[in-house]
C-alpha cells in the first residue's frame, strides 16, 4: 500500500506526479474529464450576483446556475462544467487561521435533468481514482451520505453506488442534515441531500466514532455531489423541483492543498508568490512568529479577494454599503496588518500585481481591469493611511499631558474621542500607547462607546424608539416584527431597502424604509405573507455580542455608521433574519400573533412608511 500522504518524490516518483498537481493542472484536468463525458464547458460568471438580493457575492459554483436548476433551459445543454470565482464573507473572521479563505475558485459539473445519483457518483469516482485523472488510491477515500430525517429518506441509493464501486461499507458514513444537506445560496432556492468525498490524511482516528465527516482532521473533504430535488421558497416551504438536477463543487485551493499534502493552503504555490512579496516588503520570514504569520495570511488573502472584486466585470468600488463595504473592510484590514508588519508605503497594489500575473490565464478580466484594480487599491489605501495619520497626530498632541500621569493609564474617554472623531481604531491607539508604556482604560472606553451608541439610537436616527422606551409585552412583539418586516421588504423589493426609523406603541408599529415608489397590492401581500410564515414557523430568536465589523461580515443588517466598531448585539431570527439591534425581542416568533399591514404611504422623499398591527 502506498504510504500517502507522507509520500516524497524520492520514494515514489511515479505517483508523486499526481500529488504535486498545481491549480492550473487541476482546473484543466477537471474540465477535460467532464468534456470527455459529454459536458459543455461554460464561462464562470461575475463575483457580483445578478438578481439575487439575498447575498452580496457569488458564494458557490452553482450560484449563477440557480435559474437553470429551477427549470430554465440552458443554451449549452443538460451537462455543464465550469470553474467559478467565489467569495464567502461568512468566513472572514476566521481568515488568518491556516485554512480559511475569503476568495476561492470552485470547479463544478451539473446535470440539468440528465444523470442523477448513479451517474454523478460514477463520474466522481472515476475522476478521483483513475490514474489518468487524479489517481487517488482507493484506500484513501471516505464518503458521507445523508442519513435521512422526517422529510427526506436516508440516501441508500448513493451508498449502494459507492459500495458497488469499491468503497468499503465502514468508510461510508451516514450524516445528518447539518452535514449532508446543501441549502440554497441565499435564503431561497434549489437544495437537496448531498454525498461528500473525503481524503484520509493518515492520522489516527480520534475515537471509536471517527468516520468520514469527522472534523478531527483525519478526514478532509474535497468534493461534494448535491442531488437537487427541492426548491426552498421565501415562505420556507420545500417544494419538489420541476426536474431533478445534480450540482457538484470542488474547491480548487482546498483540493490542491490536500493533494500536495500541505499543512495549509498558505504553503501551496497558490500563496507562496504572494507571501514571498509580503516577506520582502516587510523584511520578515514567514514561519518565525505566529502573530506576524497571521498578519501575513490576512494580507495575502484579503488582497487576493479585493483584486478579484475590483477586477470583476461588474466591479464595485470601496464604499459604506453592500459589496463595496466588504471590499473596503478587506482593504483596510489588509493595510492595518501591513502596518503591523512594519511595511512602509503602499502595501496592496504590488501584491495585486503578483496575483494578476498568477491568475491572468483563467481570468483574463484581471488584466483588462488592471489599471482600475491598482488605482482603486492605491486610493483606498491612501485614504485610510490619512485617517491613521490624523489619529496619530492627535495622539501626539495628547502625549505631553499623558506623560504626566503616574498610573500610566490613558483615559478610555480620550481613546474613544480619537475613535469617534477621527475614526482612529482602538487597537492602533492601544499600540501607540503601548509604545509609550501606557495602557488604555478599556472599561471606560467600552462605557463611552455604549453610551454613545444608545444616544445615537434614541436620538438622531430615531431607530427603535418605542422599542427601547416601552418594553411591555406588545412593544417587544412589535419590535421583533420590525426585523421580520425589514427582511421581508428586502426580499420582495431588493437590498436597497434600509430601515429609516420605527415607532412602536402597544397598539401598532410604524416602519420607515428607503424605497422610491409606492408598493403594489401584490407586493404588500407578499411581504405580509413572508412575515406571517416566519411567525408560523415559530423561529427561535437568539442574541450574540460581537464587533460591528464581525456582525456585518456575518451578514447581519446593521444600521449604524461603520465607526461603531465594538461589541454590538446581533439578533438572529431562525434562518430568516440577522440584525444589529439593542433588543429586547420575543424568544420565539410563534408568540407574536398574526401580522397585518394596515397602510403604506410616503414618509418623505425616497422613504416609505408601513403601519402594521399584530392581531
Ligand atoms: N453547491 C455545493 C457546494 O458549494 C456543490 O457545488 O459545496
Amino acid at each position: 500500500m502506498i504510504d500517502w500522504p507522507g509520500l516524497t518524490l524520492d520514494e515514489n516518483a511515479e505517483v508523486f506526479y499526481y500529488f504535486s498537481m498545481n491549480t492550473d493542472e487541476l482546473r484543466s484536468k477537471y474540465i477535460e474529464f467532464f468534456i470527455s463525458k459529454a459536458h459543455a464547458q461554460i464561462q464562470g460568471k461575475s463575483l457580483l450576483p445578478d438578481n439575487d438580493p439575498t447575498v452580496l457575492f457569488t458564494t458557490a459554483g452553482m450560484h449563477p446556475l440557480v435559474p437553470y436548476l429551477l427549470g430554465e433551459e440552458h443554451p449549452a445543454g443538460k451537462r455543464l462544467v465550469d470553474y467559478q470565482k467565489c467569495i464567502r464573507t461568512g468566513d472572514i473572521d476566521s481568515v488568518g487561521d491556516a485554512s480559511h479563505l475569503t476568495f476561492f475558485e470552485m470547479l463544478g459539473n451539473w446535470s440539468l435533468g440528465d444523470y442523477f445519483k448513479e451517474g454523478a457518483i460514477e463520474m466522481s469516482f472515476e475522476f478521483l481514482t483513475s490514474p489518468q485523472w487524479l489517481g487517488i488510491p482507493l484506500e484513501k477515500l471516505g464518503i458521507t451520505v445523508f442519513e435521512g430525517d422526517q422529510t427526506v429518506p436516508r440516501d441508500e441509493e448513493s451508498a449502494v453506488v459507492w459500495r458497488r464501486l469499491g468503497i468499503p461499507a465502514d468508510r461510508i458514513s451516514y450524516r445528518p442534515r447539518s452535514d449532508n444537506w446543501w441549502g440554497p445560496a441565499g435564503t431561497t432556492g434549489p437544495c437537496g441531500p448531498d454525498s461528500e468525498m473525503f481524503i484520509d490524511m493518515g492520522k489516527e482516528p480520534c475515537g471509536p466514532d471517527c468516520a468520514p465527516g469527522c472534523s478531527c482532521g483525519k478526514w478532509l473533504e474535497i468534493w461534494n455531489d448535491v442531488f437537487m430535488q427541492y426548491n426552498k421558497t421565501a415562505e420556507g416551504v420545500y417544494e419538489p423541483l420541476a426536474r431533478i438536477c445534480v450540482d457538484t463543487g470542488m474547491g480548487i485551493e482546498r483540493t490542491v492543498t490536500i493533494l500536495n499534502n500541505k499543512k495549509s493552503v498558505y504553503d501551496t504555490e497558490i500563496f507562496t508568490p504572494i507571501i514571498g512579496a509580503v516577506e520582502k516588503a516587510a523584511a520578515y520570514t514567514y514561519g518565525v512568529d505566529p502573530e506576524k504569520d497571521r498578519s501575513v495570511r490576512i494580507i495575502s488573502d484579503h488582497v487576493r479577494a479585493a483584486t478579484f472584486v475590483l477586477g470583476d466585470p461588474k466591479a464595485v468600488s470601496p464604499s459604506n454599503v453592500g459589496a463595496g463595504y466588504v471590499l473596503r473592510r478587506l482593504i483596510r484590514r489588509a493595510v492595518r496588518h501591513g502596518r503591523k508588519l512594519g511595511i512602509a508605503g503602499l502595501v496592496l497594489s504590488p501584491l495585486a500585481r503578483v496575483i494578476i500575473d498568477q491568475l491572468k490565464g483563467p481570468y483574463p478580466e484581471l488584466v483588462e481591469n488592471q489599471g482600475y484594480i491598482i488605482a482603486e487599491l492605491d486610493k483606498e489605501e491612501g485614504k485610510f493611511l490619512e485617517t491613521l495619520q490624523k489619529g496619530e497626530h492627535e495622539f501626539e498632541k495628547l502625549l505631553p499631558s499623558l506623560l504626566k500621569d503616574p498610573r500610566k493609564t490613558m483615559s478610555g474617554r480620550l481613546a474613544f474621542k480619537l475613535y469617534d472623531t477621527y475614526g482612529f481604531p482602538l487597537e492602533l491607539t492601544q499600540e501607540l500607547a503601548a509604545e509609550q508604556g501606557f495602557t488604555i482604560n478599556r472599561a471606560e472606553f467600552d462605557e463611552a462607546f455604549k453610551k454613545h451608541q444608545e444616544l445615537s439610537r434614541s436620538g438622531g436616527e430615531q431607530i427603535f424608539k418605542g422599542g427601547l422606551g416601552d418594553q411591555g409585552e406588545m412593544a417587544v412583539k412589535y419590535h421583533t416584527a420590525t426585523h421580520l418586516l425589514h427582511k421581508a421588504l428586502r426580499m420582495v423589493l431588493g437590498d436597497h431597502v434600509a430601515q429609516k426609523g420605527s415607532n412602536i406603541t402597544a397598539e401598532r408599529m410604524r416602519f420607515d424604509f428607503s424605497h422610491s415608489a409606492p408598493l403594489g397590492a401584490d407586493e404588500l401581500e407578499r411581504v405580509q405573507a413572508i412575515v406571517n410564515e416566519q411567525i408560523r414557523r415559530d423561529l427561535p430568536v437568539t442574541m450574540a455580542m460581537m464587533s460591528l465589523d464581525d456582525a456585518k461580515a456575518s451578514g447581519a443588517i446593521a444600521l449604524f455608521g461603520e465607526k461603531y466598531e465594538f461589541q454590538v448585539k446581533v439578533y438572529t431570527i431562525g434562518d430568516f433574519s440577522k440584525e444589529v439591534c439593542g433588543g429586547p425581542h420575543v424568544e420565539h416568533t410563534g408568540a407574536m400573533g398574526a401580522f397585518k399591514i394596515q397602510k403604506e404611504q410616503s414618509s418623505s422623499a425616497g422613504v416609505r412608511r408601513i403601519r402594521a398591527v399584530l392581531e
Side-chain angles (χ1 to χ4, degrees):
M1 193 171 95
I2 301 160
D3 181 21
W4 189 83
L7 191 73
T8 67
L9 179 59
D10 294 335
E11 278 162 21
N12 194 329
E14 193 193 345
V15 179
F16 179 81
Y17 165 76
Y18 294 110
F19 301 118
S20 67
M21 188 170 288
N22 67 28
T23 53
D24 286 340
E25 286 165 7
L26 177 63
R27 210 186 288 105
S28 339
K29 271 191 183 273
Y30 191 96
I31 302 288
E32 195 192 328
F33 173 78
F34 282 100
I35 288 178
S36 82
K37 301 286 179 192
H39 288 63
Q41 183 184 355
I42 55 169
Q43 272 281 320
K45 293 283 181 297
S46 167
L47 263 176
L48 289 305
D50 288 317
N51 309 323
D52 186 349
T54 62
V55 281
L56 294 175
F57 295 103
T58 298
T59 55
M62 56 77 75
H63 196 174
L65 287 159
V66 167
Y68 308 103
L69 295 166
L70 288 175
E72 220 172 273
E73 293 297 317
H74 196 287
K78 289 180 182 341
R79 291 182 176 213
L80 309 174
V81 61
D82 78 359
Y83 58 92
Q84 171 68 49
K85 44 188 181 178
C86 304
I87 282 189
R88 287 188 187 171
T89 50
D91 290 347
I92 207 166
D93 305 318
S94 311
V95 170
D97 72 10
S99 65
H100 283 84
L101 294 178
T102 313
F103 170 87
F104 63 99
E105 296 179 66
M106 197 178 254
L107 293 159
N109 56 285
W110 288 273
S111 157
L112 306 175
D114 193 83
Y115 55 85
F116 199 48
K117 292 179 181 177
E118 186 170 25
I121 291 171
E122 280 173 355
M123 283 186 267
S124 291
F125 182 84
E126 182 180 345
F127 183 68
L128 290 176
T129 60
S130 159
Q132 196 192 339
W133 305 103
L134 296 191
I136 297 169
L138 187 61
E139 61 273 17
K140 291 293 173 193
L141 281 182
I143 303 295
T144 60
V145 297
F146 181 52
E147 75 174 4
D149 59 15
Q150 303 96 317
T151 20
V152 179
R154 182 182 175 98
D155 187 7
E156 202 48 45
E157 285 164 289
S158 294
V160 165
V161 182
W162 286 117
R163 281 200 298 268
R164 171 168 63 71
L165 292 169
I167 306 283
D170 63 356
R171 269 192 281 123
I172 302 173
S173 163
Y174 295 87
R175 317 284 297 188
R177 190 178 277 255
S178 52
D179 291 339
N180 281 67
W181 184 271
W182 173 258
T187 42
T188 60
C191 51
D194 65 47
S195 181
E196 300 177 10
M197 289 146 266
F198 294 78
I199 301 288
D200 179 353
M201 298 309 284
K203 278 175 57 169
E204 283 305 309
C206 65
D209 294 334
C210 187
C214 180
S215 58
C216 71
K218 179 176 174 60
W219 298 99
L220 296 185
E221 185 209 336
I222 56 166
W223 203 355
N224 186 8
D225 286 357
V226 185
F227 308 116
M228 297 284 189
Q229 285 174 281
Y230 305 94
N231 175 34
K232 188 180 172 201
T233 68
E235 290 76 35
V237 177
Y238 292 93
E239 57 185 29
L241 278 186
R243 65 177 178 212
I244 49 180
C245 295
V246 174
D247 149 41
T248 94
M250 177 186 273
I252 290 192
E253 290 79 356
R254 194 186 163 85
T255 303
V256 161
T257 306
I258 297 169
L259 291 185
N260 287 286
N261 189 25
K262 297 290 186 192
K263 276 211 186 69
S264 150
V265 68
Y266 293 98
D267 301 330
T268 65
E269 46 85 37
I270 302 164
F271 276 98
T272 43
I274 312 170
I275 288 181
V278 179
E279 283 178 310
K280 216 168 124 199
Y284 166 72
T285 308
Y286 184 67
V288 172
D289 171 347
E291 187 60 26
K292 288 193 170 165
D293 288 351
R294 186 165 170 269
S295 291
V296 172
R297 290 190 296 260
I298 289 174
I299 298 171
S300 306
D301 169 83
H302 286 14
V303 180
R304 213 163 90 101
T307 299
F308 269 88
V309 175
L310 288 166
D312 196 273
K314 285 172 65 187
V316 291
S317 50
S319 74
N320 285 338
V321 289
Y325 178 77
V326 176
L327 175 62
R328 167 160 287 168
R329 184 163 183 264
L330 289 167
I331 294 175
R332 294 192 163 198
R333 194 159 178 239
V335 172
R336 231 149 72 180
H337 284 275
R339 284 173 52 101
K340 266 181 133 171
L341 290 174
I343 302 180
L346 293 179
V347 180
L348 308 183
S349 56
L351 300 179
R353 288 181 206 277
V354 174
I355 295 160
I356 294 167
D357 195 51
Q358 225 184 348
L359 284 151
K360 61 182 181 225
Y363 301 99
E365 65 267 31
L366 294 181
V367 179
E368 281 155 37
N369 301 320
Q370 175 152 354
Y372 179 75
I373 298 172
I374 304 292
E376 287 293 313
L377 285 175
D378 286 351
K379 197 163 89 190
E380 181 66 14
E381 181 166 1
K383 245 197 231 168
F384 188 50
L385 286 176
E386 235 170 70
T387 302
L388 297 181
Q389 270 156 14
K390 243 188 247 157
E392 275 163 3
H393 183 66
E394 291 303 316
F395 182 85
E396 269 156 32
K397 285 205 278 189
L398 295 172
L399 202 54
S401 64
L402 280 180
L403 288 173
K404 290 188 195 131
D405 184 313
R407 291 161 305 163
K408 299 256 169 216
T409 314
M410 179 178 172
S411 127
R413 266 173 292 119
L414 271 185
F416 180 73
K417 194 174 159 222
L418 284 178
Y419 164 64
D420 184 45
T421 318
Y422 303 101
F424 198 64
L426 175 69
E427 61 184 73
L428 290 185
T429 310
Q430 274 168 329
E431 241 170 64
L432 293 179
E435 279 168 21
Q436 305 290 337
F438 279 85
T439 54
I440 290 169
N441 184 333
R442 182 62 199 260
E444 211 176 83
F445 177 92
D446 289 343
E447 199 184 310
F449 172 74
K450 233 185 248 152
K451 202 182 268 166
H452 187 93
Q453 196 181 28
E454 273 160 25
L455 277 179
S456 80
R457 272 184 187 165
S458 57
E461 301 186 48
Q462 295 286 317
I463 293 161
F464 308 130
K465 212 175 150 219
L468 281 179
D470 176 0
Q471 304 195 353
E473 207 190 38
M474 269 325 281
V476 172
K477 288 181 185 173
Y478 277 120
H479 193 179
T480 307
T482 62
H483 285 219
L484 296 178
L485 176 60
H486 192 184
K487 181 64 193 278
L489 285 166
R490 286 164 74 102
M491 285 166 74
V492 172
L493 304 175
D495 249 0
H496 63 276
V497 169
Q499 176 170 354
K500 288 293 173 196
S502 78
N503 182 292
I504 290 169
T505 70
E507 285 78 40
R508 55 105 185 111
M509 60 182 276
R510 247 177 26 209
F511 185 83
D512 291 357
F513 59 97
S514 48
H515 186 61
S516 49
L519 273 66
D522 57 326
E523 285 171 328
L524 286 171
E525 214 162 275
R526 265 163 66 209
V527 168
Q528 182 171 301
I530 293 173
V531 172
N532 278 319
E533 175 61 21
Q534 311 319 314
I535 295 174
R536 193 199 56 76
R537 289 170 72 206
D538 195 18
L539 299 170
V541 182
T542 53
M543 192 273 283
M545 298 284 292
M546 58 184 87
S547 75
L548 184 63
D549 272 2
D550 290 350
K552 286 186 173 173
S554 79
I557 302 175
L559 303 166
F560 308 109
E562 67 175 316
K563 55 188 178 173
Y564 301 93
E565 233 180 337
F566 297 87
Q567 301 294 303
V568 293
K569 286 184 186 173
V570 173
Y571 278 91
T572 301
I573 308 180
D575 57 0
F576 182 72
S577 129
K578 199 182 244 193
E579 202 168 309
V580 174
C581 161
H585 285 280
V586 300
E587 283 174 8
H588 275 268
T589 56
M592 292 167 58
F595 175 81
K596 194 152 178 249
I597 296 177
Q598 289 186 324
K599 203 153 127 196
E600 191 273 341
Q601 64 191 127
S602 166
S603 164
S604 60
V607 178
R608 307 295 304 174
R609 169 170 293 173
I610 279 181
R611 185 192 152 107
V613 293
L614 289 166
E615 291 176 333

